[in-house]
mmCIF file of all heavy atoms in Angstrom:
data_model
loop_
_atom_site.group_PDB
_atom_site.id
_atom_site.type_symbol
_atom_site.label_atom_id
_atom_site.label_comp_id
_atom_site.label_asym_id
_atom_site.label_seq_id
_atom_site.Cartn_x
_atom_site.Cartn_y
_atom_site.Cartn_z
ATOM 1 N N GLU A 951 -4.796 11.349 19.804
ATOM 2 C CA GLU A 951 -3.887 12.468 19.569
ATOM 3 C C GLU A 951 -2.962 12.207 18.400
ATOM 4 O O GLU A 951 -2.595 13.117 17.672
ATOM 5 C CB GLU A 951 -3.053 12.749 20.827
ATOM 6 C CG GLU A 951 -3.860 13.229 22.032
ATOM 7 C CD GLU A 951 -3.850 14.755 22.206
ATOM 8 O OE1 GLU A 951 -3.277 15.448 21.336
ATOM 9 O OE2 GLU A 951 -4.450 15.231 23.201
ATOM 10 N N THR A 952 -2.539 10.936 18.227
ATOM 11 C CA THR A 952 -1.574 10.618 17.165
ATOM 12 C C THR A 952 -2.114 9.591 16.154
ATOM 13 O O THR A 952 -1.349 8.998 15.420
ATOM 14 C CB THR A 952 -0.279 10.061 17.794
ATOM 15 O OG1 THR A 952 -0.620 8.984 18.669
ATOM 16 C CG2 THR A 952 0.484 11.115 18.583
ATOM 17 N N LEU A 953 -3.436 9.437 16.160
ATOM 18 C CA LEU A 953 -4.028 8.379 15.305
ATOM 19 C C LEU A 953 -3.808 8.640 13.803
ATOM 20 O O LEU A 953 -3.559 7.715 13.032
ATOM 21 C CB LEU A 953 -5.531 8.231 15.626
ATOM 22 C CG LEU A 953 -6.198 6.956 15.104
ATOM 23 C CD1 LEU A 953 -5.541 5.702 15.698
ATOM 24 C CD2 LEU A 953 -7.692 6.948 15.463
ATOM 25 N N SER A 954 -3.897 9.895 13.422
ATOM 26 C CA SER A 954 -3.711 10.205 11.982
ATOM 27 C C SER A 954 -2.322 9.770 11.523
ATOM 28 O O SER A 954 -2.180 9.168 10.446
ATOM 29 C CB SER A 954 -3.884 11.695 11.724
ATOM 30 O OG SER A 954 -5.202 12.093 12.038
ATOM 31 N N GLN A 955 -1.303 10.068 12.320
ATOM 32 C CA GLN A 955 0.064 9.682 11.945
ATOM 33 C C GLN A 955 0.199 8.156 11.988
ATOM 34 O O GLN A 955 0.793 7.533 11.136
ATOM 35 C CB GLN A 955 1.087 10.312 12.934
ATOM 36 C CG GLN A 955 1.196 11.811 12.813
ATOM 37 C CD GLN A 955 0.159 12.538 13.647
ATOM 38 O OE1 GLN A 955 -0.850 11.987 14.048
ATOM 39 N NE2 GLN A 955 0.416 13.814 13.929
ATOM 40 N N ASP A 956 -0.390 7.543 13.044
ATOM 41 C CA ASP A 956 -0.266 6.109 13.233
ATOM 42 C C ASP A 956 -0.883 5.341 12.048
ATOM 43 O O ASP A 956 -0.315 4.397 11.525
ATOM 44 C CB ASP A 956 -0.984 5.760 14.551
ATOM 45 C CG ASP A 956 -0.772 4.315 14.975
ATOM 46 O OD1 ASP A 956 0.159 3.699 14.420
ATOM 47 O OD2 ASP A 956 -1.513 3.841 15.837
ATOM 48 N N LEU A 957 -2.084 5.799 11.607
ATOM 49 C CA LEU A 957 -2.779 5.119 10.526
ATOM 50 C C LEU A 957 -2.386 5.625 9.140
ATOM 51 O O LEU A 957 -2.801 5.082 8.129
ATOM 52 C CB LEU A 957 -4.296 5.287 10.680
ATOM 53 C CG LEU A 957 -4.938 4.701 11.944
ATOM 54 C CD1 LEU A 957 -6.443 5.019 11.969
ATOM 55 C CD2 LEU A 957 -4.728 3.198 12.026
ATOM 56 N N ASN A 958 -1.627 6.739 9.083
ATOM 57 C CA ASN A 958 -1.341 7.430 7.838
ATOM 58 C C ASN A 958 -2.669 7.790 7.120
ATOM 59 O O ASN A 958 -2.869 7.569 5.941
ATOM 60 C CB ASN A 958 -0.435 6.563 6.924
ATOM 61 C CG ASN A 958 -0.094 7.236 5.601
ATOM 62 O OD1 ASN A 958 -0.234 6.667 4.528
ATOM 63 N ND2 ASN A 958 0.324 8.480 5.639
ATOM 64 N N TYR A 959 -3.597 8.295 7.941
ATOM 65 C CA TYR A 959 -4.932 8.635 7.416
ATOM 66 C C TYR A 959 -5.463 9.777 8.288
ATOM 67 O O TYR A 959 -5.469 9.635 9.528
ATOM 68 C CB TYR A 959 -5.848 7.424 7.522
ATOM 69 C CG TYR A 959 -7.053 7.509 6.618
ATOM 70 C CD1 TYR A 959 -7.056 6.887 5.391
ATOM 71 C CD2 TYR A 959 -8.169 8.247 6.976
ATOM 72 C CE1 TYR A 959 -8.148 6.964 4.530
ATOM 73 C CE2 TYR A 959 -9.259 8.342 6.142
ATOM 74 C CZ TYR A 959 -9.248 7.695 4.938
ATOM 75 O OH TYR A 959 -10.330 7.797 4.094
ATOM 76 N N ASN A 960 -5.890 10.852 7.675
ATOM 77 C CA ASN A 960 -6.276 12.010 8.473
ATOM 78 C C ASN A 960 -7.665 11.796 9.111
ATOM 79 O O ASN A 960 -8.680 11.888 8.433
ATOM 80 C CB ASN A 960 -6.292 13.269 7.602
ATOM 81 C CG ASN A 960 -6.538 14.538 8.424
ATOM 82 O OD1 ASN A 960 -6.667 14.468 9.649
ATOM 83 N ND2 ASN A 960 -6.584 15.653 7.748
ATOM 84 N N VAL A 961 -7.685 11.543 10.408
ATOM 85 C CA VAL A 961 -8.970 11.324 11.093
ATOM 86 C C VAL A 961 -9.523 12.653 11.642
ATOM 87 O O VAL A 961 -10.569 12.680 12.289
ATOM 88 C CB VAL A 961 -8.896 10.268 12.221
ATOM 89 C CG1 VAL A 961 -8.412 8.936 11.675
ATOM 90 C CG2 VAL A 961 -8.051 10.747 13.402
ATOM 91 N N MET A 962 -8.827 13.739 11.350
ATOM 92 C CA MET A 962 -9.289 15.093 11.688
ATOM 93 C C MET A 962 -9.591 15.228 13.189
ATOM 94 O O MET A 962 -10.621 15.814 13.577
ATOM 95 C CB MET A 962 -10.496 15.467 10.833
ATOM 96 C CG MET A 962 -10.146 15.521 9.360
ATOM 97 S SD MET A 962 -11.556 15.596 8.272
ATOM 98 C CE MET A 962 -12.124 17.241 8.517
ATOM 99 N N PHE A 963 -8.713 14.655 14.037
ATOM 100 C CA PHE A 963 -8.892 14.842 15.489
ATOM 101 C C PHE A 963 -8.750 16.314 15.805
ATOM 102 O O PHE A 963 -7.795 16.953 15.388
ATOM 103 C CB PHE A 963 -7.860 14.004 16.242
ATOM 104 C CG PHE A 963 -7.932 14.184 17.743
ATOM 105 C CD1 PHE A 963 -9.104 13.941 18.427
ATOM 106 C CD2 PHE A 963 -6.817 14.637 18.458
ATOM 107 C CE1 PHE A 963 -9.183 14.108 19.812
ATOM 108 C CE2 PHE A 963 -6.886 14.815 19.835
ATOM 109 C CZ PHE A 963 -8.066 14.539 20.517
ATOM 110 N N SER A 964 -9.728 16.850 16.489
ATOM 111 C CA SER A 964 -9.739 18.284 16.784
ATOM 112 C C SER A 964 -9.937 18.477 18.300
ATOM 113 O O SER A 964 -11.049 18.502 18.795
ATOM 114 C CB SER A 964 -10.896 18.916 16.007
ATOM 115 O OG SER A 964 -11.194 20.194 16.525
ATOM 116 N N PRO A 965 -8.831 18.579 19.040
ATOM 117 C CA PRO A 965 -8.942 18.722 20.484
ATOM 118 C C PRO A 965 -9.319 20.153 20.876
ATOM 119 O O PRO A 965 -8.532 20.872 21.471
ATOM 120 C CB PRO A 965 -7.534 18.331 20.998
ATOM 121 C CG PRO A 965 -6.635 18.633 19.865
ATOM 122 C CD PRO A 965 -7.426 18.543 18.581
ATOM 123 N N ARG A 966 -10.531 20.509 20.554
ATOM 124 C CA ARG A 966 -10.982 21.897 20.719
ATOM 125 C C ARG A 966 -11.502 22.173 22.120
ATOM 126 O O ARG A 966 -11.834 23.297 22.468
ATOM 127 C CB ARG A 966 -12.073 22.213 19.703
ATOM 128 C CG ARG A 966 -13.274 21.316 19.823
ATOM 129 C CD ARG A 966 -14.330 21.527 18.757
ATOM 130 N NE ARG A 966 -13.889 21.033 17.455
ATOM 131 C CZ ARG A 966 -14.678 21.037 16.370
ATOM 132 N NH1 ARG A 966 -15.888 21.542 16.429
ATOM 133 N NH2 ARG A 966 -14.223 20.571 15.254
ATOM 134 N N GLY A 967 -11.649 21.124 22.947
ATOM 135 C CA GLY A 967 -12.169 21.279 24.313
ATOM 136 C C GLY A 967 -13.637 20.938 24.396
ATOM 137 O O GLY A 967 -14.436 21.252 23.507
ATOM 138 N N VAL A 968 -13.981 20.203 25.475
ATOM 139 C CA VAL A 968 -15.368 19.812 25.731
ATOM 140 C C VAL A 968 -15.771 20.348 27.091
ATOM 141 O O VAL A 968 -15.043 20.215 28.058
ATOM 142 C CB VAL A 968 -15.485 18.263 25.758
ATOM 143 C CG1 VAL A 968 -16.900 17.843 26.174
ATOM 144 C CG2 VAL A 968 -15.127 17.646 24.401
ATOM 145 N N MET A 969 -16.951 20.981 27.128
ATOM 146 C CA MET A 969 -17.458 21.383 28.455
ATOM 147 C C MET A 969 -18.835 20.736 28.705
ATOM 148 O O MET A 969 -19.668 20.644 27.808
ATOM 149 C CB MET A 969 -17.548 22.881 28.629
ATOM 150 C CG MET A 969 -18.459 23.596 27.692
ATOM 151 S SD MET A 969 -18.667 25.317 28.215
ATOM 152 C CE MET A 969 -17.242 26.075 27.483
ATOM 153 N N MET A 970 -18.991 20.240 29.956
ATOM 154 C CA MET A 970 -20.281 19.699 30.375
ATOM 155 C C MET A 970 -20.858 20.714 31.351
ATOM 156 O O MET A 970 -20.314 20.938 32.421
ATOM 157 C CB MET A 970 -20.102 18.334 31.044
ATOM 158 C CG MET A 970 -19.607 17.279 30.059
ATOM 159 S SD MET A 970 -19.148 15.742 30.851
ATOM 160 C CE MET A 970 -20.576 14.759 30.607
ATOM 161 N N LEU A 971 -21.955 21.351 30.954
ATOM 162 C CA LEU A 971 -22.515 22.453 31.740
ATOM 163 C C LEU A 971 -23.142 21.926 33.034
ATOM 164 O O LEU A 971 -23.826 20.900 33.042
ATOM 165 C CB LEU A 971 -23.592 23.175 30.951
ATOM 166 C CG LEU A 971 -23.164 23.806 29.626
ATOM 167 C CD1 LEU A 971 -24.372 24.527 28.977
ATOM 168 C CD2 LEU A 971 -22.010 24.777 29.832
ATOM 169 N N ALA A 972 -22.923 22.668 34.115
ATOM 170 C CA ALA A 972 -23.628 22.434 35.368
ATOM 171 C C ALA A 972 -24.772 23.440 35.421
ATOM 172 O O ALA A 972 -24.557 24.654 35.463
ATOM 173 C CB ALA A 972 -22.690 22.629 36.548
ATOM 174 N N GLN A 973 -26.008 22.940 35.377
ATOM 175 C CA GLN A 973 -27.183 23.820 35.365
ATOM 176 C C GLN A 973 -28.110 23.575 36.559
ATOM 177 O O GLN A 973 -29.211 24.117 36.612
ATOM 178 C CB GLN A 973 -27.931 23.684 34.037
ATOM 179 C CG GLN A 973 -27.085 24.273 32.871
ATOM 180 C CD GLN A 973 -27.701 24.114 31.521
ATOM 181 O OE1 GLN A 973 -27.780 23.017 30.997
ATOM 182 N NE2 GLN A 973 -28.169 25.204 30.934
ATOM 183 N N THR A 974 -27.655 22.734 37.488
ATOM 184 C CA THR A 974 -28.339 22.583 38.769
ATOM 185 C C THR A 974 -27.251 22.486 39.842
ATOM 186 O O THR A 974 -26.087 22.161 39.527
ATOM 187 C CB THR A 974 -29.169 21.285 38.836
ATOM 188 O OG1 THR A 974 -28.262 20.183 38.720
ATOM 189 C CG2 THR A 974 -30.208 21.212 37.736
ATOM 190 N N HIS A 975 -27.642 22.712 41.102
ATOM 191 C CA HIS A 975 -26.642 22.641 42.179
ATOM 192 C C HIS A 975 -26.118 21.206 42.327
ATOM 193 O O HIS A 975 -24.956 20.976 42.661
ATOM 194 C CB HIS A 975 -27.219 23.172 43.474
ATOM 195 C CG HIS A 975 -27.432 24.644 43.384
ATOM 196 N ND1 HIS A 975 -26.383 25.547 43.372
ATOM 197 C CD2 HIS A 975 -28.562 25.404 43.241
ATOM 198 C CE1 HIS A 975 -26.855 26.792 43.225
ATOM 199 N NE2 HIS A 975 -28.188 26.721 43.131
ATOM 200 N N HIS A 976 -26.988 20.260 42.039
ATOM 201 C CA HIS A 976 -26.584 18.858 42.105
ATOM 202 C C HIS A 976 -25.460 18.595 41.097
ATOM 203 O O HIS A 976 -24.447 17.946 41.407
ATOM 204 C CB HIS A 976 -27.803 17.983 41.803
ATOM 205 C CG HIS A 976 -27.493 16.538 41.777
ATOM 206 N ND1 HIS A 976 -27.272 15.802 42.921
ATOM 207 C CD2 HIS A 976 -27.384 15.659 40.744
ATOM 208 C CE1 HIS A 976 -27.025 14.555 42.584
ATOM 209 N NE2 HIS A 976 -27.081 14.439 41.280
ATOM 210 N N GLU A 977 -25.614 19.171 39.886
ATOM 211 C CA GLU A 977 -24.574 18.968 38.872
ATOM 212 C C GLU A 977 -23.279 19.679 39.266
ATOM 213 O O GLU A 977 -22.179 19.179 38.982
ATOM 214 C CB GLU A 977 -25.055 19.515 37.523
ATOM 215 C CG GLU A 977 -25.752 18.472 36.667
ATOM 216 C CD GLU A 977 -26.128 19.044 35.305
ATOM 217 O OE1 GLU A 977 -26.520 20.223 35.221
ATOM 218 O OE2 GLU A 977 -26.028 18.284 34.316
ATOM 219 N N VAL A 978 -23.390 20.852 39.911
ATOM 220 C CA VAL A 978 -22.172 21.552 40.336
ATOM 221 C C VAL A 978 -21.349 20.617 41.217
ATOM 222 O O VAL A 978 -20.161 20.382 40.989
ATOM 223 C CB VAL A 978 -22.527 22.840 41.117
ATOM 224 C CG1 VAL A 978 -21.264 23.433 41.764
ATOM 225 C CG2 VAL A 978 -23.182 23.856 40.184
ATOM 226 N N ARG A 979 -22.048 20.022 42.212
ATOM 227 C CA ARG A 979 -21.306 19.146 43.131
ATOM 228 C C ARG A 979 -20.786 17.906 42.396
ATOM 229 O O ARG A 979 -19.667 17.453 42.631
ATOM 230 C CB ARG A 979 -22.213 18.738 44.301
ATOM 231 C CG ARG A 979 -22.359 19.872 45.327
ATOM 232 C CD ARG A 979 -22.902 19.372 46.640
ATOM 233 N NE ARG A 979 -24.297 18.976 46.522
ATOM 234 C CZ ARG A 979 -25.341 19.795 46.701
ATOM 235 N NH1 ARG A 979 -25.118 21.027 47.048
ATOM 236 N NH2 ARG A 979 -26.559 19.365 46.568
ATOM 237 N N GLY A 980 -21.612 17.360 41.509
ATOM 238 C CA GLY A 980 -21.216 16.174 40.766
ATOM 239 C C GLY A 980 -19.967 16.408 39.924
ATOM 240 O O GLY A 980 -19.027 15.617 39.946
ATOM 241 N N TYR A 981 -19.946 17.525 39.198
ATOM 242 C CA TYR A 981 -18.802 17.785 38.316
ATOM 243 C C TYR A 981 -17.559 18.216 39.099
ATOM 244 O O TYR A 981 -16.429 17.906 38.683
ATOM 245 C CB TYR A 981 -19.180 18.822 37.239
ATOM 246 C CG TYR A 981 -20.122 18.273 36.215
ATOM 247 C CD1 TYR A 981 -21.098 19.090 35.629
ATOM 248 C CD2 TYR A 981 -20.076 16.938 35.826
ATOM 249 C CE1 TYR A 981 -21.977 18.583 34.685
ATOM 250 C CE2 TYR A 981 -20.963 16.420 34.896
ATOM 251 C CZ TYR A 981 -21.921 17.250 34.322
ATOM 252 O OH TYR A 981 -22.801 16.751 33.406
ATOM 253 N N GLN A 982 -17.762 18.860 40.244
ATOM 254 C CA GLN A 982 -16.578 19.170 41.071
ATOM 255 C C GLN A 982 -15.962 17.854 41.571
ATOM 256 O O GLN A 982 -14.747 17.685 41.574
ATOM 257 C CB GLN A 982 -16.971 20.060 42.266
ATOM 258 C CG GLN A 982 -17.209 21.493 41.809
ATOM 259 C CD GLN A 982 -17.742 22.405 42.918
ATOM 260 O OE1 GLN A 982 -18.282 21.915 43.915
ATOM 261 N NE2 GLN A 982 -17.612 23.699 42.728
ATOM 262 N N ARG A 983 -16.829 16.920 41.901
ATOM 263 C CA ARG A 983 -16.342 15.605 42.354
ATOM 264 C C ARG A 983 -15.574 14.942 41.208
ATOM 265 O O ARG A 983 -14.496 14.361 41.426
ATOM 266 C CB ARG A 983 -17.554 14.758 42.790
ATOM 267 C CG ARG A 983 -17.169 13.391 43.254
ATOM 268 C CD ARG A 983 -18.430 12.599 43.592
ATOM 269 N NE ARG A 983 -18.091 11.275 44.038
ATOM 270 C CZ ARG A 983 -18.847 10.205 43.847
ATOM 271 N NH1 ARG A 983 -20.009 10.329 43.254
ATOM 272 N NH2 ARG A 983 -18.473 9.038 44.270
#
Side-chain angles (χ1 to χ4, degrees):
E951 294 263 3
T952 52
L953 195 60
S954 297
Q955 292 86 341
D956 188 15
L957 297 178
N958 181 230
Y959 200 98
N960 187 1
V961 302
M962 297 167 73
F963 177 57
S964 164
R966 60 184 72 176
V968 174
M969 62 169 84
M970 293 171 98
L971 301 181
Q973 291 177 289
T974 63
H975 291 289
H976 178 74
E977 269 183 323
V978 170
R979 283 197 290 271
Y981 289 146
Q982 285 174 340
R983 180 183 180 211

